């Protein structure tokens, strides 16, 4: 861990040492319930409490109740009164104090014992008071990083960072971190995971040595005024005792810090989900509210809603009240599903960053997800028949580590574009397949709406109509730049793209009917997810040719694929550009210190983050 | 290490016995259940059901040798090919680099015959490549060979 080895750190959290989470974490994780219960009890006891004070401090005053403590059942009816009657106020208060202290100590211990570190190889978390757990996620296996900000956490200015790796429920959660720290740590983890570390260190060392700078340690440099203004905003937690920003913060006037804290919190709350410093300023897709609502109302769930309403109406009018009890909960569930779909699609954004695609969403509880390059195993654009007049499409992906279960959160993460136009699909595909986008683009339009031969797609023989009477004209495949495209579906149009570099295996199957018609089906196996890459019918000899081609190309592409260490290849030229293009505004006024700042272009300066 | 060859290899003909025993057990259970229904409750349809099940099972058993012969695998330069089925044919190509683990399992009948099943697991559940009925030493050798091949051709997830 020499100093030039980690010059680009945005935060000091990724230095391989153990760090603690935000001090409010235990409160946010479980304590909110406790506070709510406490508040409820206090609100209910308020009147009693006033009486109590009278009794305790003026014992001669009129007794309430008046039936002196003789029966046990008043303990049940009025425990507080009974305590007072029996002269146990002292004990009760003592018990209360002990309870509160125990809770506080528990929170403090769980905060003390919950530590994490980010080493060049892995993200590790240790937690638990009695039952210790130690979980680590290898950086080169990271499938995505999610930063979630539930509403309460946002009010505290904190965020939850989740590192997802392949495997069922193998995610490593850091809940909670300071909001800006979470963003910074994400950038650091992605930078380490990108494999750019060695590369970057070498170029940075060269850059540092060239101007003849003496020190490469960020903590020893003088802090510029513009930078010190930032840390003062985040003066709340002391989770980083040795952080240089803290010492800077301590010097600022107290009132300025308090005011800054409030404005910063408000800024943070109103800030768009995507950090303008981390991503290109605007999302490539804009979702108007009308489209979100319209698409939800025209979605498949609407049919279910209509069916449910019909059943309920018929049931009620024909005097069958049980219908109400059995179907109303389902209706409520459906409405809440539609509502959550709408709210989650609000403030949707998708943008490309050097470390992958970032997708943000949510109105009150916000979240964003970063999928590093080379982690997407399949993409599918679908259009339901009701969406066709409007030209709306939705895009889903398969990524490793998503469970099969259609849980709401998992479904949310695989849904890359809730609803968008064909042009949006083009833009999203450009982000998801950055290397192949140019070659694939000509096939996409024909794949979305085309049918029959043309547009580079194979045609399906007419006899396939026996098996696929509606969609046989649309069924076809194409391949470009190591991506297989499969077009199918008439009522539910779909275009599936599979990067062959990540295809797991390929199967061709021939059933009895297929053989009679000289047809076959081909299936591309990818990791589990909502996308099924399948070419249901294709001429049999063509199927064998396609099978050979896919199996060969899969091996070739997998061997030459380097996207999972995206940094090594991509960063070389980018870092050279960083010096001049990068933080021109930031570094220009402090020219002599510029080499010491050593900030990469894609990561934010620490102060004005968000 | 074993040579990589371009020929299709078949599984052991003894595997027919494993399949036949499995089919017979299934047949006995279902036919027995149908006969019990017939004799206890005098349900005519149960007798027909028993006859139908028996006929279907016997036809299946008669085809068993062909079905077992159809199970073939082939180690190519960079991937494993596996195919099986006469009515429903399926052929799968799995690049060695995609291997997550190799699993060897043995049922009671297969163990008595000295056979084992070799399962090739990738990150995709749908891959489902299980080469059944390999002689034990052959299965062990194939496992080591596949692991070695996967090591040299390791790919990302």
């Amino acid at each position: 861990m020499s100093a030039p080895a980690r010059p680009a750190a945005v935060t000091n959290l990724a230095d391989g040492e153990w760090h603690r989470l935000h001090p409010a974490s235990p409160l946010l994780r479980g304590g909110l319930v406790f506070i709510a219960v406490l508040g409820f009890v206090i609100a209910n006891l308020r009147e009693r409490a006033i009486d109590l004070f009278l009794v305790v401090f003026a014992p001669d005053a009129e007794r309430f109740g008046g039936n002196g403590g003789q029966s046990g059942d008043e303990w049940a009816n009025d425990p507080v009164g009974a305590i007072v009657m029996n002269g146990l106020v002292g004990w009760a208060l003592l018990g209360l104090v002990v309870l509160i202290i125990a809770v506080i100590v528990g929170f403090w211990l769980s905060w003390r014992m919950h530590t994490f570190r980010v080493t060049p190889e892995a993200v590790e978390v240790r937690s638990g008071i009695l039952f210790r757990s130690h979980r680590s996620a290898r950086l080169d296996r990271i499938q995505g990083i999610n930063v979630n900000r539930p509403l309460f956490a946002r009010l505290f200015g904190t965020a939850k960072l989740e590192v997802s790796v392949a495997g069922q429920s193998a995610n490593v959660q850091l809940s909670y971190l300071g909001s800006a720290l979470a963003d910074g740590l994400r950038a650091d983890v992605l930078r380490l995971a990108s494999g750019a570390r060695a590369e970057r260190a070498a170029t940075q060392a060269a850059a540092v040595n060239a101007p003849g700078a003496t020190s490469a340690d960020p903590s020893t440099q003088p802090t510029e005024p513009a930078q010190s203004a930032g840390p003062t905003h985040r003066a709340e937690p002391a989770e980083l005792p040795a952080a240089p920003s803290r010492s800077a913060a301590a010097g600022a006037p107290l009132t300025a810090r308090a005011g800054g804290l409030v404005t910063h919190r408000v800024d943070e709350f109103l800030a768009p989900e995507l950090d303008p410093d981390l991503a290109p300023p605007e999302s490539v897709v804009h979702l108007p509210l009308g489209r979100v609502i319209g698409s939800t109302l025209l979605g498949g769930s609407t049919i279910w809603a209509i069916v449910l309403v019909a059943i309920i109406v018929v049931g009620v009018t024909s005097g069958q009240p049980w219908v109400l009890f059995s179907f109303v909960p389902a209706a409520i569930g459906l409405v809440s599903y539609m509502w959550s779909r709408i709210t989650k699609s609000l403030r949707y954004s998708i943008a490309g960053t050097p470390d992958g695609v970032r997708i943000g969403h949510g109105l009150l509880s916000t979240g964003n997800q970063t999928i590093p390059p080379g982690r997407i195993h399949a993409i599918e654009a679908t259009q339901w028949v009701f969406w066709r007049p409007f030209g709306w499409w939705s895009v889903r992906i398969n990524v490793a580590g998503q469970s099969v279960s259609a849980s709401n959160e998992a479904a949310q993460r695989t849904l890359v574009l809730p609803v968008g136009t064909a042009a949006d699909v083009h833009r999203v595909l450009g982000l998801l397949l950055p290397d192949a986008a140019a070659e694939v683009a000509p096939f996409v339009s024909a794949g979305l709406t085309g049918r029959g031969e043309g547009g580079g797609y194979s045609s399906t023989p007419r006899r396939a109509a026996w098996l696929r009477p509606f969609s046989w004209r649309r069924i076809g495949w194409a391949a470009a730049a190591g991506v297989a495209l499969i077009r199918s579906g008439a009522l539910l149009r779909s275009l599936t793209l599979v990067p062959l570099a990540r295809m797991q295996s390929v199967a061709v199957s021939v059933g009895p009917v297929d053989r009679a018609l000289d047809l076959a089906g081909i299936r591309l196996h990818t990791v589990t997810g909502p996308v099924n890459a399948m070419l249901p019918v294709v001429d049999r000899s063509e199927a064998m040719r396609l099978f050979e081609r896919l199996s060969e190309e899969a091996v070739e592409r997998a061997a030459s694929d380097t996207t999972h260490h995206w940094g090594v290849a991509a960063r070389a030229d980018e870092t050279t550009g960083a010096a001049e293009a990068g933080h021109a505004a930031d570094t220009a006024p402090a020219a002599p210190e510029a080499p010491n700042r050593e900030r990469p272009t894609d990561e934010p300066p620490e102060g004005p983050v968000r | 290490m074993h040579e990589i060859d371009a020929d299709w290899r078949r599984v052991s003909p003894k595997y027919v016995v494993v399949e036949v025993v499995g089919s017979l057990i299934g047949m006995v259970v279902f036919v027995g259940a149908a006969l019990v229904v017939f004799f206890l409750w005098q349900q005519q349809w149960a007798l027909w059901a028993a006859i139908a099940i028996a006929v279907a099972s016997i036809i299946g058993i008669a085809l068993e040798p062909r079905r077992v012969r159809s199970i073939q695998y082939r180690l190519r330069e960079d991937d494993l090919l596996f195919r099986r089925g006469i009515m429903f044919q399926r052929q799968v190509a799995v690049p060695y680099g995609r291997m997550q683990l190799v699993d060897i399992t043995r049922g009671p009948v297969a163990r008595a015959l000295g056979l084992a099943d070799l399962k090739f697991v990738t990150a995709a559940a749908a891959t489902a490549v299980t080469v059944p009925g390999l002689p034990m030493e052959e299965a062990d050798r194939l496992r080591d060979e596949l692991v070695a091949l996967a090591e040299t051709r390791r790919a990302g997830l």
Side-chain angles (χ1 to χ4, degrees), chain A residues 143 166 377 400 500-512 515 523 525-527 540 544 547-548 551 555 558, chain B residues 76 78-79 81 86-96 98 100 122-128 154-157:
Chain A
Q143 302 296 319
H377 290 247
L500 294 176
R502 279 173 292 285
M503 187 181 76
Q504 299 293 316
S505 55
V506 56
V508 57
S509 56
V510 186
R515 193 164 42 249
R523 207 173 151 184
H525 301 142
T526 67
V527 297
R540 205 167 157 191
M544 290 319 292
F547 176 80
E548 290 299 331
S551 57
V555 172
Chain B
R76 291 201 300 190
D78 292 306
D79 54 3
L81 281 189
I86 28 181
M87 279 290 272
F88 294 89
Q89 295 170 347
R90 182 169 184 268
Q91 178 171 329
V92 187
V94 199
Y96 298 126
R98 296 300 183 196
Q100 298 290 324
T122 70
T127 299
R154 166 112 355 253
L157 187 61

Side-chain angles (χ1 to χ4, degrees), chain A residues 354-404:
Chain A
D355 289 318
V357 184
R358 182 155 312 146
I359 301 155
H361 54 76
L363 187 60
L364 295 176
S365 297
T366 66
N368 68 49
Q369 174 190 16
T370 307
I371 308 167
R375 260 65 174 184
I376 294 164
H377 290 247
I379 308 165
E380 185 182 33
T382 53
Q383 180 182 56
W384 201 51
V385 63
F386 284 4
W387 284 10
R388 199 185 284 188
F390 307 92
W392 289 336
W393 295 84
S394 70
V395 176
R396 281 168 205 283
I397 56 169
N398 277 4
V399 286
Q402 298 292 352
S403 58
V404 202

Side-chain angles (χ1 to χ4, degrees), chain A residues 253-569:
Chain A
L254 193 66
T255 48
R257 283 167 60 191
L261 179 63
V262 171
T263 49
H264 178 64
R265 202 39 60 70
V266 170
D267 285 350
E268 200 172 77
F269 203 79
L270 298 177
E273 187 43 53
L274 282 172
D275 190 326
D277 290 326
L278 282 170
E282 81 276 24
S283 160
V284 300
V285 173
H286 175 62
L287 280 192
L289 182 62
R291 194 198 291 166
V292 172
I293 295 174
S295 67
T296 307
L297 293 180
L298 288 172
S301 49
T302 310
I303 306 253
W304 289 111
I306 291 169
V307 169
L308 277 177
V309 167
I311 289 175
I312 290 170
V313 167
V314 168
V316 167
T317 49
S318 62
Q320 305 264 331
W322 59 268
V323 171
L324 217 56
F325 295 108
S326 40
F327 286 96
V328 164
I332 290 171
L334 202 63
V335 167
S336 76
Y337 164 77
M338 288 164 82
W339 176 247
S340 80
R341 205 193 108 93
I342 290 175
T343 53
K344 288 221 166 133
S345 301
L346 290 175
R347 293 214 309 174
Y348 162 89
S349 62
I350 179 167
T353 73
D355 289 318
V357 184
R358 182 155 312 146
I359 301 155
H361 54 76
L363 187 60
L364 295 176
S365 297
T366 66
N368 68 49
Q369 174 190 16
T370 307
I371 308 167
R375 260 65 174 184
I376 294 164
H377 290 247
I379 308 165
E380 185 182 33
T382 53
Q383 180 182 56
W384 201 51
V385 63
F386 284 4
W387 284 10
R388 199 185 284 188
F390 307 92
W392 289 336
W393 295 84
S394 70
V395 176
R396 281 168 205 283
I397 56 169
N398 277 4
V399 286
Q402 298 292 352
S403 58
V404 202
S405 68
S407 82
N408 212 345
E409 207 179 352
Q412 181 68 39
R413 282 188 196 158
T414 53
L415 184 63
V416 172
L417 177 65
V419 55
T421 61
D424 294 337
V425 172
H426 275 278
R427 282 193 285 268
V428 168
L429 287 179
L431 291 180
L432 297 180
L433 297 169
D435 303 332
E439 289 95 329
V440 167
F443 294 93
V444 171
S445 300
L448 290 178
T449 54
R451 52 198 315 230
E453 207 166 352
Y457 282 83
S458 72
S459 60
T460 307
R462 176 171 268 281
R463 57 186 187 276
W466 289 101
L467 286 171
R468 304 272 155 171
F470 301 111
S471 61
W472 67 274
R473 277 178 207 277
R474 251 186 73 72
I475 291 170
W477 65 272
V483 177
L485 296 95
I486 295 175
R487 177 181 75 175
S488 66
L491 284 179
L492 182 70
R493 284 173 169 174
S494 103
L495 173 69
T496 308
L497 296 92
V498 178
L500 294 176
R502 279 173 292 285
M503 187 181 76
Q504 299 293 316
S505 55
V506 56
V508 57
S509 56
V510 186
V513 181
D514 290 327
R515 193 164 42 249
L517 295 168
D518 197 28
L519 295 171
I522 282 207
R523 207 173 151 184
L524 279 59
H525 301 142
T526 67
V527 297
T528 321
V531 182
N532 254 329
M534 195 171 74
L535 189 61
V537 285
V538 61
D539 182 75
R540 205 167 157 191
S541 54
E542 191 187 338
M544 290 319 292
R545 280 201 303 277
L546 179 58
F547 176 80
E548 290 299 331
R549 174 170 175 186
L550 288 176
S551 57
E552 266 170 39
E553 203 168 342
V555 172
E556 269 169 38
R557 293 282 170 179
S560 61
D561 182 51
T562 54
T563 40
H564 51 285
H565 290 304
W566 67 96
V568 178

Side-chain angles (χ1 to χ4, degrees), chain A residues 45-319:
Chain A
L45 291 183
R46 195 167 51 99
E47 305 225 331
R48 302 298 289 139
I50 293 168
D51 284 345
L52 286 187
F53 277 110
L54 285 177
V55 172
V56 173
F57 295 107
D60 301 334
E62 185 75 15
R63 285 292 171 93
F64 51 85
N67 57 342
Q70 75 261 57
S71 70
D73 99 324
E74 81 179 21
W75 281 97
N77 291 335
D78 183 14
V80 179
I83 286 171
V84 174
M85 286 304 181
N86 294 315
L88 296 174
V89 177
W91 288 107
L93 282 179
L94 190 66
L96 198 65
V97 168
V98 166
L99 184 73
I100 289 173
I101 287 174
V103 167
I104 289 172
V105 167
F107 277 8
W108 183 79
L109 267 181
S110 90
W111 172 74
R112 282 285 298 185
M113 308 290 266
H114 200 139
T115 53
F116 70 95
R117 71 172 174 184
V118 181
T119 67
E121 287 81 35
V123 182
E124 292 172 66
V125 179
R126 293 189 303 196
S127 65
I129 300 172
L130 289 178
F131 297 93
R132 302 281 288 152
S133 83
H134 187 153
R135 179 167 255 215
S136 94
R138 273 176 58 192
L139 285 183
D140 57 348
R141 293 290 180 201
I142 287 180
Q143 302 296 319
I145 298 190
N146 309 314
V147 176
N148 287 310
R149 294 182 176 85
L151 184 56
F152 276 114
R154 278 179 84 195
L155 294 176
F156 278 78
T158 57
K160 179 162 67 177
L161 186 103
E162 196 179 355
V163 178
S164 64
V165 291
Q168 302 284 324
S169 67
N171 292 357
V172 172
Q173 276 199 2
L174 300 180
S175 53
Y176 289 82
L177 289 168
S179 205
L181 284 174
D183 285 329
L185 186 60
R186 171 183 54 201
D188 283 346
V189 170
L190 285 168
R191 179 179 52 79
L192 289 174
S194 72
R197 188 188 173 75
E199 178 91 16
R200 174 71 63 94
T203 48
Q204 291 285 356
V208 168
N209 290 337
T214 50
S215 166
D217 188 351
S219 64
T220 59
Q221 72 193 13
T223 317
E224 311 156 28
Q227 292 297 322
S228 68
T232 56
H233 294 157
R234 294 188 287 103
E236 70 283 0
E239 68 240 64
L240 284 177
S245 57
R246 301 282 166 229
S247 53
L254 193 66
T255 48
R257 283 167 60 191
L261 179 63
V262 171
T263 49
H264 178 64
R265 202 39 60 70
V266 170
D267 285 350
E268 200 172 77
F269 203 79
L270 298 177
E273 187 43 53
L274 282 172
D275 190 326
D277 290 326
L278 282 170
E282 81 276 24
S283 160
V284 300
V285 173
H286 175 62
L287 280 192
L289 182 62
R291 194 198 291 166
V292 172
I293 295 174
S295 67
T296 307
L297 293 180
L298 288 172
S301 49
T302 310
I303 306 253
W304 289 111
I306 291 169
V307 169
L308 277 177
V309 167
I311 289 175
I312 290 170
V313 167
V314 168
V316 167
T317 49
S318 62

